[in-house]
Amino acid sequence: MTRGGDAWLELRGSLPPGRQGPPMHVHHVEDESGHIREGTLSAVLDGRPISVRAGESTFIPRGTPHRWWNDGPDLLEFDGTARPVADLDQYLQ
């Protein structure tokens, strides 16, 4: 998506209870932000555990090692963006 010359990747997804997301990784060019619509996202950001609940948001600056999963009892649903667009879309494929 682009607006005013700024291009970004829109993210939207879900993860069933007890499932792992991607392995530990780093975006060297992109900042990632997300908003939790349902459930709870558990994550490790730069070695620190965090928990983000429905209605809350998170920001992952470029260069930050991270991974996330759903260890809650409910479906995890989220929206987010990665900007600027670099190669996250290729990584996800």
Side-chain angles (χ1 to χ4, degrees), residues 1 7 10 16 25 27-28 30-31 34 45 47 51 53-54 67 69-70 81 84 89:
M1 177 167 270
E10 285 190 355
H25 63 283
H27 307 288
H28 295 284
E30 297 154 320
D31 295 318
L45 289 137
S51 184
R53 293 173 178 73
R67 72 181 193 90
W69 63 94
N70 180 1
T81 61
D89 57 336

Side-chain angles (χ1 to χ4, degrees), residues 1-2 7-15 22 25 27 30-37 41 57-60 66 68 76-93:
M1 177 167 270
T2 61
W8 67 88
L9 179 66
E10 285 190 355
L11 308 168
R12 181 172 211 150
S14 63
L15 194 63
H25 63 283
H27 307 288
E30 297 154 320
D31 295 318
E32 191 173 359
S33 62
H35 179 78
I36 307 305
R37 292 191 325 264
L41 177 132
S57 297
T58 187
F59 178 76
I60 305 167
H66 63 284
W68 57 271
L76 169 62
E77 295 185 29
F78 57 90
D79 296 319
T81 61
R83 60 175 76 196
V85 172
D87 63 357
L88 180 58
D89 57 336
Q90 295 171 9
Y91 172 79
L92 294 171
Q93 292 177 16

